[in-house]
């Protein structure tokens, strides 16, 4: 059986089907990444009247999607706060979490990070925004929840 499998994979490789499948998978991941970006680009900054896209906090290249199999995807977002000592970086991460959990139509796991070297306490903030219990506790705070809602609500909602 192993010989048949090996022969089949070599046949696929030589016929170009293997490369074609990889290209299709890459295209699918790029499409998913754009879908994710379209969801987060309109999140408003907690302090400014601008969106995260307008401030370059998130860009198309800051979103990566990996296929986990069985129609589930790993979404990795790396955002860049506007200043290295941004006091609202954790809140921005929370807004990203909330908006994606609400809006994505496909099964996913989510990892959100501050881009390396863009914040003075990036390691601590990365732990906070990827801790489900801390995120849930934060959303139980009515004041924090109201700020998040203002940031993630679309202008025409």
């Amino acid at each position: 059986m192993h010989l048949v499998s090996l022969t089949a994979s070599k046949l696929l490789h030589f016929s170009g089907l293997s490369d074609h499948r990889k290209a299709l998978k890459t295209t699918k991941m790029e499409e998913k990444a754009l879908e994710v970006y379209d969801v987060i680009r309109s999140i408003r900054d907690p302090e400014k009247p601008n969106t995260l896209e307008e401030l370059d906090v998130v860009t198309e290249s800051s979103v990566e999607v990996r296929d986990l199999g069985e129609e589930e995807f790993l979404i990795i977002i790396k955002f860049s706060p506007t200043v290295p000592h941004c006091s609202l970086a954790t809140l921005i991460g929370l807004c990203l979490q909330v908006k994606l959990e609400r809006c994505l139509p496909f099964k996913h796991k989510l990892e959100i990070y501050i881009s390396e070297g863009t914040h003075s306490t990036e390691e601590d903030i990365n732990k906070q925004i990827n801790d489900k219990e801390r995120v849930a506790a934060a959303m139980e705070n009515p004041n924090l929840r109201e700020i998040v809602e203002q940031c993630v609500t679309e202008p025409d909602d």
Side-chain angles (χ1 to χ4, degrees):
M1 187 64 170
H2 177 69
L3 184 59
V4 171
S5 173
L6 187 62
T7 304
S9 68
K10 288 216 182 286
L11 182 63
L12 284 174
H13 176 73
F14 289 124
S15 70
L17 287 176
S18 175
D19 293 337
H20 181 68
R21 283 192 182 139
K22 284 180 188 170
L24 285 176
K25 190 172 185 175
T26 299
T27 302
K28 184 177 181 181
M29 294 306 103
E30 289 169 353
E31 288 172 1
K32 289 283 184 200
L34 283 175
E35 189 176 344
V36 170
Y37 181 69
D38 280 342
V39 170
I40 64 173
R41 65 192 281 196
S42 61
I43 295 172
R44 283 188 287 290
D45 184 88
E47 284 185 319
K48 300 177 174 86
N50 306 82
T51 65
L52 298 185
E53 177 185 48
E54 291 166 343
L55 296 169
D56 283 332
V57 173
V58 294
T59 61
E60 284 183 19
S61 63
S62 64
V63 179
E64 180 185 347
V65 178
R66 297 179 189 164
D67 192 347
L68 295 175
E70 298 183 30
E71 292 302 308
E72 184 175 18
F73 301 91
L74 171 63
I75 299 166
I76 302 168
I77 296 175
K78 295 182 180 173
F79 71 97
S80 301
T82 53
V83 291
H85 53 277
C86 177
S87 61
L88 299 174
T90 306
L91 183 56
I92 291 169
L94 184 60
C95 290
L96 290 165
Q97 283 269 5
V98 168
K99 182 108 186 223
L100 289 169
E101 290 301 333
R102 286 183 185 170
C103 297
L104 287 181
F106 53 85
K107 194 173 166 188
H108 64 276
K109 291 183 178 178
L110 188 55
E111 293 179 6
I112 299 175
Y113 302 104
I114 292 180
S115 298
E116 197 171 322
T118 62
H119 197 278
S120 54
T121 61
E122 67 191 56
E123 281 185 38
D124 292 335
I125 294 173
N126 287 341
K127 285 179 189 171
Q128 286 180 358
I129 58 181
N130 288 294
D131 182 326
K132 289 184 191 310
E133 290 176 11
R134 283 187 180 184
V135 169
M139 289 307 291
E140 288 176 10
N141 177 320
N143 297 326
L144 205 48
R145 187 171 56 243
E146 184 180 338
I147 294 169
V148 169
E149 290 299 334
Q150 290 171 0
C151 293
V152 302
T153 302
E154 296 289 333
D156 55 352
D157 279 356

